[in-house]
């Protein structure tokens, strides 16, 4: 693409040495400079791309986009107000604006983004549509899962993945719209067809994230200034503030009788290999006895959000029933078919709040015994370990304390911190540092009617030790243990 076309819709403060250079790529990481690219200088927490502009020009970049003038000879320099906003716009231009040819759905909220995304995806696929997803688990299209550094990746990556989806014949793409992603313009360059708000609670405050709850909320609300239709959880206290400055048509969901989409008669459902929830959905849609293949009453909210989106897209109700009954979210209350005697789940719960949600949810299904296997991440605040230990001690019948991602810490030191928290309670626990051995112990000693939660790893398929990510997928571990037990018998 010619440089002039690439920046055609950009508000340029100053342009120096502009020419008709052919741009073959866009780079924003100086370590990934390619020939004939345009290098965009981004400011990070620990780096400033402007410091690498000269290096980029000397190593193949044929143009530089910056927020200030830089001494670079014979290379076009484009000065703009905000390089992150500019990156989003030129990335959309470079990939020929794929969002204009896709139906785009953005989901924001403190909790429920991943689950709601997968529910919508499952429903759309049940209706025969091809649907891609960009979020916590990665960029997913077909059998391909590309891991991402952030829940909402940089705008260039978003546009690149959307272009790939479009080329593969996809019609829909769902994105988790994080507050940081919205704040840093990663979702600029296009408007969503539908935006969804799940809920709002304390998270991401301090450090490089948000200075306070007000900014956190304000950043989330930006989604409803860049979508055509907004679907809001009316039962959440932040609902009104979320839509205060919205520029889209607003629809609501919840238990509130004034909601456009409502739910009632929520019931927990339990079978040998499945824990779920059933509900009736009313209002703009009438669906009775809808089974949702994920445990917990709160997942009725996520399901209703998904139903609201799919109804707005005129998806057949039969696909809604089928999609919710078969939905499976990797690492989020993900059932593992280990035995008919007991139930096992893999969940990403890696702090006290998420662990409390998981354990209190599963206790409502009245298991004969509730066991949680968990560790804590190394090089993270110690208070998280104390709190996780205390939460597990209060809610689980047995805690199996093991290793998570120790990173650069000694796993035994982390375990001692967890014990500090659990010893504040009367909860029973054992320590098995090796995670594979811990899982094998849990399975070998499981009682009839027991529920076992493998907490902390979730969708991750590795264990990070001293900077190295070793392959570790708990699904494969369980499968190997079952095979071993079978052969032993």
């Amino acid at each position: 693409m010619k440089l002039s076309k690439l920046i055609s819709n950009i508000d340029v403060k100053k342009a120096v040495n502009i020419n008709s250079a052919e741009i073959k790529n866009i780079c924003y990481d100086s370590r990934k400079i390619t020939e004939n690219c345009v290098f965009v200088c981004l400011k990070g927490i620990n780096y400033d791309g402007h410091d690498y502009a000269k290096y980029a020009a000397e190593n193949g970049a044929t143009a530089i986009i910056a927020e200030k003038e830089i001494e670079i000879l014979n290379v076009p320099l484009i000065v703009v107000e905000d390089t992150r906003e500019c990156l989003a716009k030129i990335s959309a231009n470079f990939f020929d604006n794929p969002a204009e040819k896709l139906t785009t759905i953005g989901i924001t909220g403190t909790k429920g983004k991943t689950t709601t995304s997968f529910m919508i995806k499952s429903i759309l696929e049940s209706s025969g549509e091809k649907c891609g997803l960009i979020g916590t688990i990665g960029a997913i299209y077909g059998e391909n899962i590309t891991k991402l550094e952030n829940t909402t990746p940089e705008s260039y990556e978003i546009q690149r993945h959307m272009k790939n989806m479009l080329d593969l014949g996809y019609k829909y793409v769902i994105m988790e719209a994080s507050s940081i992603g919205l704040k840093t313009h990663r979702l600029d360059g296009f408007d969503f067809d539908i935006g969804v708000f799940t809920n709002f609670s304390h998270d991401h405050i301090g450090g490089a994230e948000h200075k306070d709850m007000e900014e956190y909320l304000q950043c989330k609300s930006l989604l409803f200034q860049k979508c055509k239709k907004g679907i809001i959880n009316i039962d959440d206290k932040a609902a009104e503030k979320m839509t205060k400055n919205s520029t889209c048509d607003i629809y609501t969901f919840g238990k509130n009788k004034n909601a456009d989409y409502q739910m009632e008669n929520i019931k927990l459902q339990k079978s040998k290999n499945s824990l779920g929830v059933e509900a009736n959905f009313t209002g703009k849609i009438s669906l009775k006895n809808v089974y949702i293949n994920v445990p917990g009453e709160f997942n009725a909210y996520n399901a209703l959000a998904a139903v609201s989106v799919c109804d707005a897209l005129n998806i057949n109700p039969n696909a809604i029933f089928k999609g919710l009954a078969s939905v499976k979210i990797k690492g989020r209350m993900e059932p593992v078919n280990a035995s008919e005697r007991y139930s096992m789940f893999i969940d990403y719960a890696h702090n006290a709040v998420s662990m409390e949600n998981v354990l209190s949810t599963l206790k409502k299904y009245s298991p004969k015994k509730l066991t949680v296997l968990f560790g804590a991440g190394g090089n993270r605040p110690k208070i998280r370990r104390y709190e996780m230990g205390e939460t597990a001690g209060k809610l689980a019948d047995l805690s199996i304390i093991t290793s998570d991602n120790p990173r650069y810490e000694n796993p035994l030191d982390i375990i001692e911190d967890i014990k500090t928290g659990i010893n504040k309670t009367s909860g029973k626990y054992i320590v098995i540092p090796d995670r594979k051995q811990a899982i094998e112990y849990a399975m070998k000693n499981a009682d009839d009617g027991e529920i076992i939660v493998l907490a902390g790893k979730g969708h991750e398929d590795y264990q990070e030790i001293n900077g190295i990510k070793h392959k570790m997928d708990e699904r494969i571990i369980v499968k190997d243990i079952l095979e071993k037990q079978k052969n032993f018998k």
Side-chain angles (χ1 to χ4, degrees):
M1 181 175 286
K2 297 290 185 186
L3 177 60
S4 55
K5 185 178 178 182
L6 187 72
I7 62 171
S8 58
N9 61 339
I10 304 302
D11 186 10
V12 176
K13 290 171 67 176
K14 186 170 184 177
V16 181
N17 295 331
I18 295 299
N19 57 32
S20 58
E22 189 77 24
I23 302 300
K24 294 185 178 179
N25 198 10
I26 298 170
C27 296
Y28 54 89
D29 185 334
S30 61
R31 297 166 297 182
K32 300 176 181 178
I33 297 294
T34 57
E35 284 292 321
N36 301 114
C37 74
V38 58
F39 179 68
V40 184
C41 303
L42 301 183
K43 289 181 180 178
I45 301 303
N46 301 310
Y47 72 93
D48 186 343
H50 294 81
D51 297 336
Y52 301 93
K54 186 178 179 182
Y55 170 85
E58 292 170 348
N59 286 272
T62 53
I64 305 293
I65 297 179
E67 293 179 0
K68 61 185 179 182
E69 288 193 56
I70 303 169
E71 279 293 328
I72 300 172
L73 297 177
N74 303 321
V75 175
L77 173 68
I78 299 106
V79 181
V80 298
E81 187 69 37
D82 189 315
T83 49
R84 287 188 178 274
E85 184 177 358
C86 180
L87 175 64
K89 290 180 179 179
I90 64 171
S91 295
N93 292 342
F94 186 74
F95 290 107
D96 195 24
N97 299 292
E100 292 179 0
K101 306 167 194 75
L102 291 161
T103 298
T104 53
I105 301 154
I107 303 174
T108 197
T110 305
K111 296 189 287 286
K113 294 187 295 296
T114 301
T115 299
T116 303
S117 296
F118 273 84
M119 286 178 171
I120 297 169
K121 184 174 186 290
S122 184
I123 293 169
L124 290 174
E125 290 175 343
S126 294
S127 74
E129 300 289 358
K130 295 180 79 172
C131 176
L133 194 152
I134 299 173
T136 305
I137 309 299
I140 304 172
Y141 34 106
E143 297 300 314
N144 180 45
I145 300 179
T146 304
K147 293 179 182 178
L148 304 171
E149 289 186 13
N150 300 296
T151 294
T152 305
E154 287 292 352
S155 53
Y156 174 86
E157 303 302 329
I158 289 173
Q159 296 292 336
R160 181 172 68 86
H161 287 301
M162 283 199 291
K163 180 64 164 62
N164 290 344
M165 291 174 193
L166 190 63
D167 289 347
L168 291 169
Y170 279 64
K171 183 178 176 182
Y172 296 92
V173 57
I174 307 161
M175 289 179 228
E176 294 183 45
S178 70
S179 56
I180 300 297
L182 287 159
K183 177 182 178 180
T184 56
H185 301 286
R186 295 176 198 167
L187 292 161
D188 283 12
F190 69 100
D191 286 336
F192 286 96
D193 291 290
I194 298 177
V196 182
F197 166 63
T198 58
N199 52 61
F200 183 78
S201 59
H202 192 281
D203 203 0
H204 301 294
I205 306 301
E209 297 185 297
H210 300 290
K211 63 180 181 181
D212 52 34
M213 290 288 282
E214 186 177 341
E215 186 196 276
Y216 178 37
L217 177 64
Q218 187 272 329
C219 288
K220 285 198 171 298
S221 72
L222 292 173
L223 177 62
F224 302 99
Q225 297 171 37
K226 53 185 285 71
C227 65
K228 299 167 187 173
K229 184 178 290 185
I231 295 175
I232 304 287
N233 176 2
I234 196 174
D235 294 343
D236 194 275
K237 292 177 181 178
E240 189 175 340
K241 288 183 178 179
M242 189 61 57
T243 59
K244 186 178 179 182
N245 296 309
S246 64
T247 56
C248 59
D249 296 329
I250 296 293
Y251 296 84
T252 57
F253 70 92
K255 292 180 180 178
N256 191 306
K257 294 302 179 185
N258 293 320
D260 295 302
Y261 296 91
Q262 300 165 26
M263 59 183 174
E264 58 188 23
N265 296 340
I266 302 166
K267 301 172 186 173
L268 301 181
Q269 296 288 355
K270 182 179 181 181
S271 63
K272 273 187 178 179
N273 291 312
S274 176
L275 300 180
V277 62
E278 188 178 275
N280 294 342
F281 297 142
T282 60
K284 286 176 69 67
I285 197 166
S286 181
L287 302 173
K288 289 190 175 181
N289 304 319
V290 180
Y291 178 72
I292 305 149
N293 191 39
V294 191
E297 286 186 30
F298 61 90
N299 275 312
Y301 270 100
N302 295 328
L304 183 54
V307 168
S308 305
V309 169
C310 292
D311 182 59
L313 296 171
N314 296 313
I315 301 300
N316 190 298
N318 289 333
I320 293 176
F321 277 100
K322 187 178 176 183
L324 290 177
S326 61
V327 66
K328 195 172 182 179
I329 302 102
K330 190 173 185 180
R332 300 298 194 278
M333 289 285 203
E334 179 186 351
V336 182
N337 192 10
S339 172
E340 290 191 355
R341 293 193 306 106
Y342 60 87
S343 300
M344 177 179 280
F345 293 88
I346 293 174
D347 195 87
Y348 189 47
H350 58 287
N351 58 39
V353 173
S354 53
M355 182 173 283
E356 183 175 1
N357 286 339
V358 168
L359 297 181
S360 58
T361 293
L362 294 176
K363 281 180 80 73
K364 291 179 181 177
Y365 287 86
S366 303
K368 296 280 180 64
K369 180 181 175 184
L370 179 58
T371 296
V372 60
L373 180 151
F374 72 103
N379 303 106
R380 297 293 186 268
K382 285 195 173 191
I383 190 169
R384 181 181 290 184
R385 306 166 192 178
Y386 307 146
E387 291 173 345
M388 287 177 73
E390 189 170 356
T391 300
K394 288 177 179 176
L395 294 173
D397 297 306
L398 174 67
S399 296
I400 302 176
I401 306 175
T402 186
S403 184
D404 193 285
N405 291 322
R407 298 187 177 91
Y408 292 95
E409 285 194 68
N410 185 330
L412 298 180
D413 292 339
I414 298 171
I415 287 170
E416 285 301 316
D417 289 334
I418 294 171
K419 286 167 63 178
T420 298
I422 205 166
N423 283 329
K424 292 181 179 179
T425 74
S426 58
K428 294 181 181 177
Y429 69 89
I430 60 170
V431 173
I432 305 176
D434 184 286
R435 196 170 182 101
K436 293 180 183 178
Q437 292 178 10
I439 294 171
E440 186 168 11
Y441 176 90
M443 294 170 67
K444 186 177 179 180
N445 293 278
D447 295 333
D448 291 354
E450 181 175 344
I451 294 178
I452 300 169
V453 186
L454 310 182
K457 299 297 295 172
H459 58 277
E460 294 177 352
D461 58 2
Y462 63 86
Q463 185 175 42
E464 187 178 344
I465 304 171
N466 292 323
I468 300 171
K469 290 184 176 180
H470 302 267
K471 281 196 75 65
M472 176 187 277
D473 188 323
E474 292 184 324
R475 297 150 200 81
I476 295 173
I477 292 172
V478 170
K479 188 177 178 182
D480 290 346
I481 292 168
L482 289 172
E483 195 64 33
K484 182 178 173 183
Q485 291 176 346
K486 180 181 170 185
N487 293 335
F488 184 74
K489 288 177 182 177

